[in-house]
Amino acid sequence: MLFDSSLRKELSRGFGATLVVLVTVVMTMMLIRTLGQAARGNVGPSDVILIMGYTVLGQLPTILSLSLFIAVVGTLSRMYRDSEMAIWFAAGQGLARLLAPMLRFAAPIMLAVGVLALGVWPWSNRQIDELRQQYEQRGDIDRIAPGEFQESSDGSRVFFIDRETPGADAANNVFIATRDAGSETVTSAQSARLRMIDGERTVVLYNGERMQAANDGSQLRVSTFDEYRTRIDPGGSASRSDGGVRTIDSLQLLHADQPVLRAELGWRLGLMAAVLNFVVLGLAVASANPRAGRSTGLMFALLTFVVYYNLMTVGQSWVGAGRLSLASFMALLHGGVLALGLLVLAARHNRWSPRMPWRRRSAA
């Protein structure tokens, strides 16, 4: 039908424009956030673009859902405002007649959201977790920055080298503070070089002083040296964490019984259900008030989106705490929103209006 094809074409234009804007905004926000993490030393500066890309990829289900909802509300509001809906109703067609072409348009988006939520979401979180672990487990030498005090991977050493360093394998004015079970050691040297001795990275200090003190203060030893060697642990010995439930595959979540894992599965499935509910809600409540501004529909879509996703977050916490089962959560939230949207759509399609008792008496 010509009307159906024109409706889907306009939805495509609105969806594409909204998607580009939202992706740009999210990428900018994620870039600022990732740069802040890199400045705090949580991620590697060379991994900023990768982490930002993985983060945006994991947020695509939410972006696609919001883009679709805004496109539906914006398109229908424009049709009401330009009297196209009045012509559609005058032709004997109801509001529910628009549901089928909108669902056909939203079907590929729902499929994409399902693939992203069930497959890409845990994969991107695993990639981010691995990049952060690789940066955290780097060697002690890699942690040293000229002019800054840096702590070793296990927290037992503190390093400092002068800003004016001859090269990557040499340094001037070196300071190393070491703490072990029974004593504390402070070593300073005029210069140092990094060498490979017996297959291990070793720092060779020249012309320095070493002070070793017992933790109880009973002994203090001070010695000077012309050359002193200390081995630097290569790092990477820390155990790999699982990064939380967000990195677990959806198939494993499907066979899990723990409430936290069931809550994560409910979140991923809820992203798919939200796409369907947004189409029904957008069709059911979209309208245009000539006295209101053109941004009214957009503000309503944003407010509805925020409320819906906050309810999803609250429901996920309830399922994770064992206060609510996954089936009950899906039925109450997503099923309830779908039933409410269909009820409002049926009321507007059939032009149901509540009749007040006092109106009937006055008419009599």
Side-chain angles (χ1 to χ4, degrees):
M1 189 176 179
L2 181 61
F3 183 81
D4 293 355
S5 61
S6 63
L7 176 63
R8 291 196 297 268
K9 186 179 298 184
E10 187 167 355
L11 285 173
S12 301
R13 288 196 297 264
F15 174 77
T18 306
L19 181 62
V20 171
V21 173
L22 290 180
V23 169
T24 303
V25 172
V26 172
M27 288 183 65
T28 304
M29 294 174 58
M30 291 300 103
L31 178 60
I32 297 174
R33 177 183 176 185
T34 309
L35 288 175
Q37 293 177 352
R40 293 191 298 268
N42 297 331
V43 299
S46 60
D47 299 331
V48 168
I49 301 300
L50 281 176
I51 293 179
M52 182 195 69
Y54 289 137
T55 304
V56 173
L57 192 61
Q59 298 297 327
L60 269 182
T62 305
I63 298 174
L64 290 174
S65 302
L66 180 57
S67 300
L68 177 63
F69 192 34
I70 292 177
V72 170
V73 174
T75 299
L76 293 177
S77 298
R78 202 272 315 161
M79 294 174 64
Y80 275 106
R81 188 168 53 250
D82 295 345
S83 301
E84 293 185 13
M85 294 301 294
I87 298 174
W88 175 257
F89 295 150
Q93 301 294 332
L95 189 61
R97 174 64 179 78
L98 299 177
L99 184 59
M102 286 188 172
L103 290 179
R104 285 195 295 268
F105 172 79
I109 301 175
M110 185 182 300
L111 180 61
V113 169
V115 173
L116 291 170
L118 298 178
V120 178
W121 167 255
W123 176 81
S124 62
N125 287 323
R126 283 197 300 269
Q127 300 302 315
I128 295 174
D129 186 59
E130 290 177 0
L131 289 175
R132 287 177 175 173
Q133 287 180 7
Q134 290 174 5
Y135 183 71
E136 291 175 357
Q137 296 175 9
R138 66 197 188 278
D140 293 339
I141 289 295
D142 300 327
R143 293 172 177 265
I144 299 177
E148 298 180 5
F149 286 91
Q150 296 291 333
E151 193 176 21
S152 62
S153 57
D154 57 0
S156 62
R157 295 181 179 182
V158 175
F159 304 91
F160 177 85
I161 61 176
D162 196 3
R163 290 183 179 274
E164 299 179 358
T165 57
D169 296 335
N172 294 328
N173 299 326
V174 180
F175 171 87
I176 302 176
T178 307
R179 174 180 294 179
D180 52 27
S183 63
E184 295 182 1
T185 304
V186 177
T187 306
S188 59
Q190 294 181 1
S191 61
R193 289 188 176 275
L194 180 63
R195 294 181 179 179
M196 294 295 297
I197 300 178
D198 297 332
E200 296 180 346
R201 292 196 299 178
T202 304
V203 174
V204 182
L205 306 176
Y206 300 98
N207 301 324
E209 183 179 85
R210 188 169 185 267
M211 181 180 65
Q212 183 176 9
N215 291 334
D216 56 3
S218 59
Q219 296 181 356
L220 177 63
R221 296 174 54 186
V222 179
S223 59
T224 59
F225 57 85
D226 295 330
E227 179 178 322
Y228 179 78
R229 299 178 180 180
T230 176
R231 184 175 64 87
I232 302 298
D233 295 332
S237 59
S239 59
R240 184 182 183 275
S241 64
D242 57 0
V245 297
R246 294 185 176 183
T247 62
I248 302 177
D249 291 330
S250 299
L251 290 178
Q252 298 180 9
L253 296 178
L254 188 61
H255 298 89
D257 296 330
Q258 292 87 346
V260 176
L261 301 183
R262 303 292 290 177
E264 176 65 19
L265 179 61
W267 170 263
R268 299 179 188 179
L269 295 176
L271 292 175
M272 298 178 58
V275 178
L276 174 62
N277 289 339
F278 282 145
V279 173
V280 176
L281 283 176
L283 180 59
V285 301
S287 62
N289 187 357
R291 299 181 179 180
R294 295 190 174 186
S295 60
T296 304
L298 177 60
M299 297 304 297
F300 167 77
L302 293 176
L303 179 61
T304 305
F305 177 84
V306 171
V307 172
Y308 195 106
Y309 269 74
N310 283 337
L311 291 177
M312 288 179 59
T313 303
V314 172
Q316 183 184 12
S317 63
W318 285 359
V319 174
R323 300 172 58 184
L324 195 66
S325 65
L326 177 59
S328 301
F329 163 66
M330 298 294 292
L332 288 176
L333 179 57
H334 302 289
V337 172
L338 179 60
L340 178 62
L342 291 176
L343 180 61
V344 175
L345 179 60
R348 296 190 62 188
H349 175 78
N350 297 301
R351 301 181 182 275
W352 294 339
S353 59
R355 295 184 178 180
M356 302 303 176
W358 57 84
R359 290 187 178 180
R360 292 199 298 266
R361 290 195 300 267
S362 61

